[in-house]
C-alpha cells in the first residue's frame, strides 16, 4: 500500500512544465523520482541511476527509460503514463518541480540535485538561447492557450548578464523561482526517502557520489564493472554518447545533443554578471534560504564535511 505523506500544495504551470500531469501517477514501491531545478545535473543523475539499474555502460536513450512526467511539450500525459506503466525495469522519473508541486509517497525514493544558482543560470541561458524556431513556436502556442499564462514564451536576451538580471529579479523567466525551489526541497532534507546530491560533489568525487546514490537506492554493483560505470557517467563520455542518450533533442536545440551537453563547468559567470545583480543574488540567498541550505547550494556537501548518506552537513553547519 502506497501512503501519500503529502499531497501537492501548489500548482505549477509554465510553457515547459505542468504539475497537474502528476495527478494520474500510480507509484510502485521502488520508484525513484529525480527532481531538480533546470541545469543542475538532471541528466547526469539520470545517467548515473540508469547505469546502476541496468549495470551496463552501454548508452540508452534517457528520456525513453526515465520519462519526464511534468513536461507539457511532447507526448500527452496519457501516453507518457502508459509508457511508464509498461516499464518492467525499476522506474526512475524526472521532474523539474519544487517539492510542493509533487506528490510525496512513503515508499518512493526522491533524489534532489542542487547547484550554485549562478552556475545554473549561466547554463540555462545557453539552454534557452539554443531553442529551435519550431520549439519556440510550440512554447508560444502552449502559453497562449493556457488561461493562466495567456502569452507567448518570453524570448531570452542574447547577453547572459542581462539574462541573469532578469533571472535573479524573477522578471519574465519561464521557470519557478530558484530560491523557492531550493527551500521547498530543503524542508524535507532529513526525510529518510530523500537524498541530496550536489553538482560540485559529482565533479569532485564522481565515484564516491555514485556509491552514495547506490547505497540510498539499495543497489549492489559488482566490483569488476564499477570502473566501467563510473567512466560512462563522466561528462566527456556522456557528451560523446549524446546522440544516443539525448536522441530526442535534435529538433529542440540548434546543435542537438552537443548544444545540450555544452561544457559541464562551473564559474563561467565570473567577469560576466553585473556586480549589482550578484549582490542581489547574495541578498536573496541569505534572506530566502536557511543558512545551512544557502551553504549547501553554494558549495555542496563535500566542501563542508558532509555526512555519508544524506545531503545534510556536519553538526557544526546545521544552524
Amino acid at each position: 500500500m502506497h501512503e501519500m505523506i503529502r499531497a501537492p500544495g501548489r500548482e505549477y504551470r509554465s510553457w515547459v512544465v505542468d504539475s497537474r500531469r502528476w495527478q494520474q501517477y500510480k507509484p510502485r514501491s521502488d520508484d525513484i523520482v529525480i527532481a531538480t531545478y533546470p541545469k543542475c545535473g538532471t541528466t547526469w543523475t539520470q545517467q548515473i541511476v540508469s547505469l546502476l539499474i541496468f549495470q551496463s555502460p552501454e548508452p540508452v536513450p534517457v528520456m525513453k527509460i526515465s520519462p519526464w512526467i511534468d513536461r507539457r511539450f511532447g507526448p500527452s500525459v496519457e501516453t507518457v503514463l502508459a509508457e511508464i506503466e509498461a516499464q518492467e525495469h525499476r522506474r526512475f522519473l524526472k521532474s523539474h518541480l519544487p517539492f510542493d508541486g509533487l506528490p510525496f509517497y512513503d515508499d518512493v525514493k526522491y533524489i534532489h540535485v542542487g547547484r550554485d544558482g549562478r552556475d545554473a543560470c549561466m547554463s540555462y541561458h545557453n539552454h534557452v538561447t539554443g531553442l529551435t524556431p519550431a520549439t519556440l513556436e510550440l512554447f508560444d502556442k502552449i502559453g497562449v492557450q493556457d488561461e493562466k499564462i495567456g502569452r507567448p514564451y518570453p524570448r531570452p536576451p542574447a547577453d547572459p548578464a542581462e539574462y541573469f538580471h532578469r533571472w535573479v529579479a524573477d522578471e519574465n523567466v519561464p521557470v519557478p523561482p530558484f530560491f523557492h525551489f531550493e527551500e521547498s526541497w530543503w524542508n524535507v532534507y532529513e526525510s529518510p526517502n530523500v537524498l541530496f546530491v550536489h553538482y560540485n560533489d559529482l565533479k569532485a568525487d564522481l565515484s564516491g557520489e555514485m556509491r552514495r546514490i547506490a547505497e540510498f537506492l539499495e543497489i549492489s554493483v559488482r566490483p569488476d564493472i564499477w570502473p566501467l560505470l563510473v567512466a560512462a557517467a563522466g561528462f566527456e563520455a556522456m557528451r560523446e554518447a549524446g546522440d544516443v542518450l539525448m536522441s530526442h533533442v535534435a529538433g529542440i536545440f540548434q546543435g542537438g545533443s552537443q548544444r545540450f551537453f555544452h561544457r559541464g563547468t562551473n564559474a563561467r559567470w565570473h567577469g560576466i554578471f553585473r556586480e549589482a545583480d550578484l549582490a542581489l543574488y547574495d541578498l536573496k540567498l541569505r534572506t530566502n534560504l536557511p543558512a545551512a541550505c544557502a551553504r549547501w547550494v553554494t558549495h555542496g556537501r563535500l566542501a563542508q564535511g558532509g555526512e555519508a548518506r544524506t545531503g545534510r552537513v556536519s553538526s557544526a553547519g546545521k544552524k
Side-chain angles (χ1 to χ4, degrees):
M1 185 67 180
H2 312 287
E3 181 183 353
M4 184 185 291
I5 301 174
R6 180 173 170 180
R10 184 171 173 181
E11 180 181 286
Y12 291 91
R13 284 156 62 182
S14 75
W15 298 264
V16 179
V17 299
D18 186 344
S19 62
R20 296 173 299 175
R21 291 169 64 97
W22 281 86
Q23 292 174 359
Q24 301 175 57
Y25 162 64
K26 297 177 181 178
R28 292 179 187 169
S29 59
D30 61 352
D31 275 355
I32 305 159
V33 176
I34 299 166
T36 75
Y37 190 82
K39 308 310 292 183
C40 286
T42 322
T43 307
W44 198 355
T45 308
Q46 288 175 285
Q47 169 70 345
I48 289 170
V49 174
S50 172
L51 292 164
L52 294 174
I53 287 175
F54 296 110
Q55 304 210 3
S56 168
E58 291 301 313
V60 290
V62 171
M63 191 67 78
K64 187 69 176 177
I65 58 172
S66 180
W68 177 9
I69 292 181
D70 37 276
R71 179 176 75 138
R72 70 183 309 181
F73 62 100
S76 68
V77 65
E78 290 78 15
T79 298
V80 174
L81 291 173
E83 291 176 352
I84 293 170
E85 282 298 312
Q87 288 183 337
E88 297 181 356
H89 62 78
R90 186 174 179 182
R91 306 189 307 187
F92 54 114
L93 313 171
K94 165 184 171 177
S95 176
H96 278 322
L97 293 175
F99 174 76
D100 56 8
L102 282 171
F104 189 53
Y105 291 93
D106 62 343
D107 54 359
V108 172
K109 289 185 179 289
Y110 298 80
I111 301 176
H112 172 63
V113 190
R115 191 181 187 185
D116 187 307
R118 296 162 296 189
D119 291 315
C121 181
M122 190 74 180
S123 183
Y124 196 62
H125 177 259
N126 174 76
H127 190 82
V128 295
T129 53
L131 295 171
T132 63
T135 304
L136 292 170
E137 289 178 12
L138 176 58
F139 286 175
D140 286 342
K141 183 178 179 180
I142 290 171
V144 170
Q145 292 181 348
D146 188 322
E147 69 281 0
K148 188 173 181 178
I149 302 172
R151 58 193 175 97
Y153 182 83
R155 299 309 194 256
D159 179 10
E162 177 59 27
Y163 187 77
F164 181 66
H165 171 77
R166 298 184 187 183
W167 181 90
V168 76
D170 195 26
E171 296 176 355
N172 210 27
V173 177
V175 286
F178 174 78
F179 302 100
H180 169 72
F181 200 108
E182 294 305 323
E183 182 188 29
S184 74
W185 280 100
W186 189 258
N187 288 335
V188 292
Y189 79 100
E190 289 190 325
S191 297
N193 60 330
V194 178
L195 180 73
F196 274 58
V197 176
H198 198 280
Y199 197 96
N200 289 3
D201 299 334
L202 289 170
K203 289 185 68 66
D205 183 11
L206 179 57
S207 180
E209 290 302 289
M210 286 180 65
R211 289 192 186 282
R212 286 182 66 237
I213 295 170
E215 178 188 348
F216 174 68
L217 299 178
E218 301 176 276
I219 295 175
S220 298
V221 180
R222 297 198 326 263
D224 61 309
I225 66 169
W226 183 259
L228 300 176
L229 302 187
V230 175
F235 179 80
E236 289 304 324
M238 290 180 62
R239 199 170 198 270
E240 186 176 338
D243 289 344
V244 176
L245 294 174
M246 302 300 288
S247 56
H248 70 287
V249 303
I252 298 176
F253 296 103
Q254 302 171 36
S257 68
Q258 296 304 293
R259 179 75 181 228
F260 185 87
F261 293 110
H262 184 48
R263 294 189 185 179
T265 57
N266 288 331
R268 290 190 296 114
W269 51 269
H270 281 294
I272 295 177
F273 293 169
R274 303 165 192 161
E275 290 301 321
D277 294 326
L278 290 169
L280 178 58
Y281 175 87
D282 287 340
L283 176 64
K284 285 196 166 188
L285 194 71
R286 294 194 308 270
T287 56
N288 287 270
L289 301 181
C293 179
R295 288 192 294 271
W296 177 79
V297 165
T298 303
H299 304 291
R301 180 183 61 90
L302 294 176
Q304 304 180 79
E307 294 177 357
R309 195 193 68 81
T310 69
R312 288 169 283 175
V313 298
S314 63
S315 58
K318 287 185 180 179
K319 296 180 180 179

